[in-house]
Amino acid sequence: ALTFLEQAASFVTRPEVGRFNCLAIRMMLFNYLYIDGDFANYFDQKSRLIETIGKPLFNQSIAGTFCYVWEMDIAISQGRSDQALDLAEQAYASHPSLSPHLRSLVLQLQAAVLAWRGEKTQALVLLEESERMRELSGGLYFITLNKLISGLCRARCGQYDEGMALLSAGIEDARR
Protein backbone atom coordinates (compact mmCIF):
# COMPACT_ATOMS: atom_id res chain seq x y z
CA ALA A 1 0.00 0.00 0.00
CA LEU A 2 2.79 2.41 0.87
CA THR A 3 4.35 2.05 -2.59
CA PHE A 4 1.08 3.07 -4.25
CA LEU A 5 0.56 5.96 -1.84
CA GLU A 6 4.07 7.23 -2.50
CA GLN A 7 3.42 7.06 -6.24
CA ALA A 8 0.09 8.83 -5.84
CA ALA A 9 1.63 11.51 -3.62
CA SER A 10 3.69 12.77 -6.55
CA PHE A 11 0.43 13.74 -8.31
CA VAL A 12 -0.82 16.14 -5.64
CA THR A 13 1.48 18.93 -6.79
CA ARG A 14 0.42 18.74 -10.42
CA PRO A 15 -1.85 21.58 -11.52
CA GLU A 16 -4.06 19.28 -13.60
CA VAL A 17 -5.03 17.27 -10.52
CA GLY A 18 -8.19 18.72 -8.99
CA ARG A 19 -8.45 19.71 -5.34
CA PHE A 20 -10.84 16.88 -4.54
CA ASN A 21 -8.44 14.26 -5.90
CA CYS A 22 -5.53 15.94 -4.15
CA LEU A 23 -7.48 15.82 -0.91
CA ALA A 24 -8.44 12.17 -1.39
CA ILE A 25 -4.81 11.15 -2.02
CA ARG A 26 -3.57 13.05 0.99
CA MET A 27 -6.31 11.63 3.23
CA MET A 28 -5.27 8.11 2.27
CA LEU A 29 -1.68 9.03 3.13
CA PHE A 30 -2.75 10.57 6.48
CA ASN A 31 -4.71 7.46 7.29
CA TYR A 32 -1.77 5.21 6.45
CA LEU A 33 0.66 7.28 8.55
CA TYR A 34 -1.78 7.38 11.46
CA ILE A 35 -2.39 3.62 11.38
CA ASP A 36 1.35 2.96 11.01
CA GLY A 37 2.07 5.10 14.07
CA ASP A 38 4.25 7.53 12.11
CA PHE A 39 2.82 10.56 13.89
CA ALA A 40 5.65 12.97 13.04
CA ASN A 41 5.10 12.42 9.31
CA TYR A 42 1.32 12.50 9.82
CA PHE A 43 1.53 16.02 11.30
CA ASP A 44 4.06 17.10 8.65
CA GLN A 45 1.77 15.94 5.83
CA LYS A 46 -1.21 17.62 7.48
CA SER A 47 0.72 20.93 7.64
CA ARG A 48 1.67 20.62 3.97
CA LEU A 49 -1.94 20.05 2.98
CA ILE A 50 -3.09 23.08 4.97
CA GLU A 51 -0.37 25.17 3.27
CA THR A 52 -1.54 23.92 -0.13
CA ILE A 53 -5.30 24.33 0.13
CA GLY A 54 -5.56 26.83 2.99
CA LYS A 55 -6.93 26.51 6.50
CA PRO A 56 -10.55 27.48 5.67
CA LEU A 57 -10.92 24.84 2.95
CA PHE A 58 -9.14 22.24 5.10
CA ASN A 59 -11.47 22.93 8.02
CA GLN A 60 -14.54 22.63 5.79
CA SER A 61 -13.38 19.37 4.25
CA ILE A 62 -13.86 15.83 5.47
CA ALA A 63 -10.09 15.76 6.09
CA GLY A 64 -10.40 18.43 8.74
CA THR A 65 -13.10 16.47 10.53
CA PHE A 66 -11.32 13.12 10.32
CA CYS A 67 -8.12 14.70 11.62
CA TYR A 68 -9.91 15.51 14.88
CA VAL A 69 -10.76 11.82 15.32
CA TRP A 70 -7.30 10.58 14.35
CA GLU A 71 -5.59 13.16 16.56
CA MET A 72 -7.82 12.27 19.51
CA ASP A 73 -6.69 8.68 19.07
CA ILE A 74 -3.03 9.79 18.82
CA ALA A 75 -3.36 11.88 22.00
CA ILE A 76 -4.95 8.95 23.86
CA SER A 77 -2.20 6.58 22.71
CA GLN A 78 0.40 9.04 24.00
CA GLY A 79 -1.33 9.51 27.37
CA ARG A 80 -2.53 13.06 26.67
CA SER A 81 -6.15 12.62 27.70
CA ASP A 82 -6.78 16.33 28.31
CA GLN A 83 -5.74 17.09 24.75
CA ALA A 84 -8.01 14.32 23.44
CA LEU A 85 -10.99 15.90 25.23
CA ASP A 86 -10.00 19.36 23.95
CA LEU A 87 -9.91 18.00 20.39
CA ALA A 88 -13.42 16.57 20.85
CA GLU A 89 -14.68 20.00 21.90
CA GLN A 90 -12.93 21.58 18.91
CA ALA A 91 -14.57 19.04 16.59
CA TYR A 92 -18.01 19.90 17.95
CA ALA A 93 -17.33 23.64 17.75
CA SER A 94 -15.92 23.50 14.21
CA HIS A 95 -18.50 21.02 12.91
CA PRO A 96 -21.69 21.37 14.97
CA SER A 97 -23.61 19.06 12.66
CA LEU A 98 -21.19 16.13 12.60
CA SER A 99 -22.52 13.14 10.72
CA PRO A 100 -23.66 10.22 12.89
CA HIS A 101 -20.56 8.33 11.72
CA LEU A 102 -18.06 10.96 12.84
CA ARG A 103 -20.06 11.86 15.94
CA SER A 104 -19.96 8.20 17.01
CA LEU A 105 -16.18 8.11 16.61
CA VAL A 106 -15.66 11.29 18.65
CA LEU A 107 -18.10 10.16 21.35
CA GLN A 108 -16.54 6.72 21.75
CA LEU A 109 -13.08 8.23 22.20
CA GLN A 110 -14.40 10.76 24.70
CA ALA A 111 -16.10 7.93 26.59
CA ALA A 112 -12.85 5.94 26.65
CA VAL A 113 -10.94 8.84 28.19
CA LEU A 114 -13.64 9.47 30.79
CA ALA A 115 -13.91 5.76 31.65
CA TRP A 116 -10.16 5.57 32.28
CA ARG A 117 -10.39 8.68 34.45
CA GLY A 118 -13.11 7.08 36.52
CA GLU A 119 -15.83 9.48 35.35
CA LYS A 120 -18.20 6.57 34.93
CA THR A 121 -21.58 8.28 34.67
CA GLN A 122 -20.50 10.73 31.98
CA ALA A 123 -18.54 8.02 30.13
CA LEU A 124 -21.62 5.78 29.96
CA VAL A 125 -23.85 8.63 28.75
CA LEU A 126 -21.43 9.39 25.89
CA LEU A 127 -20.98 5.71 25.16
CA GLU A 128 -24.73 5.14 24.79
CA GLU A 129 -24.96 8.09 22.40
CA SER A 130 -22.00 6.72 20.45
CA GLU A 131 -23.69 3.32 20.16
CA ARG A 132 -26.91 4.99 19.00
CA MET A 133 -25.05 7.02 16.36
CA ARG A 134 -23.23 3.88 15.21
CA GLU A 135 -26.55 2.07 14.76
CA LEU A 136 -27.63 4.92 12.47
CA SER A 137 -24.44 5.07 10.44
CA GLY A 138 -23.43 1.39 10.23
CA GLY A 139 -20.23 0.20 8.62
CA LEU A 140 -18.99 -3.27 9.58
CA TYR A 141 -15.50 -2.16 10.60
CA PHE A 142 -16.83 0.74 12.65
CA ILE A 143 -19.56 -1.37 14.29
CA THR A 144 -16.84 -3.80 15.36
CA LEU A 145 -14.63 -0.98 16.62
CA ASN A 146 -17.56 0.49 18.55
CA LYS A 147 -18.27 -2.89 20.19
CA LEU A 148 -14.64 -3.22 21.24
CA ILE A 149 -14.37 0.27 22.70
CA SER A 150 -17.82 0.02 24.29
CA GLY A 151 -16.85 -3.30 25.85
CA LEU A 152 -13.66 -1.90 27.31
CA CYS A 153 -15.43 1.20 28.63
CA ARG A 154 -18.34 -0.71 30.14
CA ALA A 155 -15.97 -3.12 31.89
CA ARG A 156 -13.92 -0.17 33.17
CA CYS A 157 -17.13 1.50 34.43
CA GLY A 158 -18.17 -1.56 36.42
CA GLN A 159 -20.53 -3.13 33.88
CA TYR A 160 -18.27 -6.13 33.60
CA ASP A 161 -20.73 -8.66 32.12
CA GLU A 162 -21.99 -6.25 29.46
CA GLY A 163 -18.44 -5.18 28.70
CA MET A 164 -17.20 -8.73 28.27
CA ALA A 165 -20.17 -9.60 26.04
CA LEU A 166 -19.42 -6.62 23.78
CA LEU A 167 -15.71 -7.40 23.71
CA SER A 168 -16.40 -11.02 22.80
CA ALA A 169 -18.83 -9.96 20.06
CA GLY A 170 -16.33 -7.41 18.72
CA ILE A 171 -13.50 -9.94 18.68
CA GLU A 172 -15.73 -12.47 16.93
CA ASP A 173 -16.77 -9.86 14.34
CA ALA A 174 -13.14 -8.92 13.76
CA ARG A 175 -12.24 -12.52 12.99
CA ARG A 176 -14.76 -12.73 10.13
Side-chain angles (χ1 to χ4, degrees):
L2 183 57
T3 304
F4 294 116
L5 285 172
E6 288 173 342
Q7 290 172 355
S10 68
F11 287 91
V12 299
T13 57
R14 294 184 180 180
E16 66 271 16
V17 177
R19 284 188 181 204
F20 176 81
N21 290 327
C22 172
L23 183 62
I25 291 168
R26 293 218 184 196
M27 277 191 66
M28 286 185 279
L29 181 58
F30 288 175
N31 195 359
Y32 180 86
L33 294 170
Y34 154 75
I35 289 170
D36 196 45
D38 191 350
F39 302 142
N41 278 331
Y42 165 90
F43 285 107
D44 179 58
Q45 290 297 317
K46 177 185 170 187
S47 294
R48 289 179 188 203
L49 176 60
I50 292 170
E51 287 173 15
T52 302
I53 67 171
K55 186 97 171 150
L57 183 58
F58 176 80
N59 286 339
Q60 294 170 10
S61 74
I62 192 70
T65 309
F66 262 108
C67 284
Y68 284 114
V69 174
W70 293 334
E71 290 168 23
M72 285 178 70
D73 205 6
I74 291 169
I76 291 168
S77 74
Q78 294 178 336
R80 295 179 284 116
S81 59
D82 287 338
Q83 184 180 11
L85 295 176
D86 288 344
L87 286 164
E89 293 307 317
Q90 291 173 34
Y92 295 135
S94 299
H95 306 278
S97 58
L98 281 175
S99 69
H101 170 65
L102 290 167
R103 186 163 178 77
S104 175
L105 293 172
V106 171
L107 287 164
Q108 72 190 22
L109 291 173
Q110 278 183 290
V113 168
L114 295 175
W116 257 254
R117 287 182 165 189
E119 298 175 38
K120 297 175 183 179
T121 303
Q122 185 61 23
L124 291 170
V125 166
L126 295 177
L127 197 58
E128 288 172 9
E129 180 67 7
S130 173
E131 292 165 346
R132 191 174 74 72
M133 292 289 106
R134 182 52 48 209
E135 284 179 27
L136 291 173
S137 58
L140 293 176
Y141 169 81
F142 294 104
I143 290 169
T144 301
L145 180 63
N146 190 264
K147 286 178 185 177
L148 293 169
I149 293 175
S150 293
L152 290 170
C153 290
R154 288 187 183 285
R156 181 75 179 173
C157 291
Q159 296 180 353
Y160 185 77
D161 291 338
E162 284 182 52
M164 292 308 296
L166 283 165
L167 274 171
S168 295
I171 290 168
E172 186 62 33
D173 290 351
R175 287 184 176 147
R176 292 187 200 158

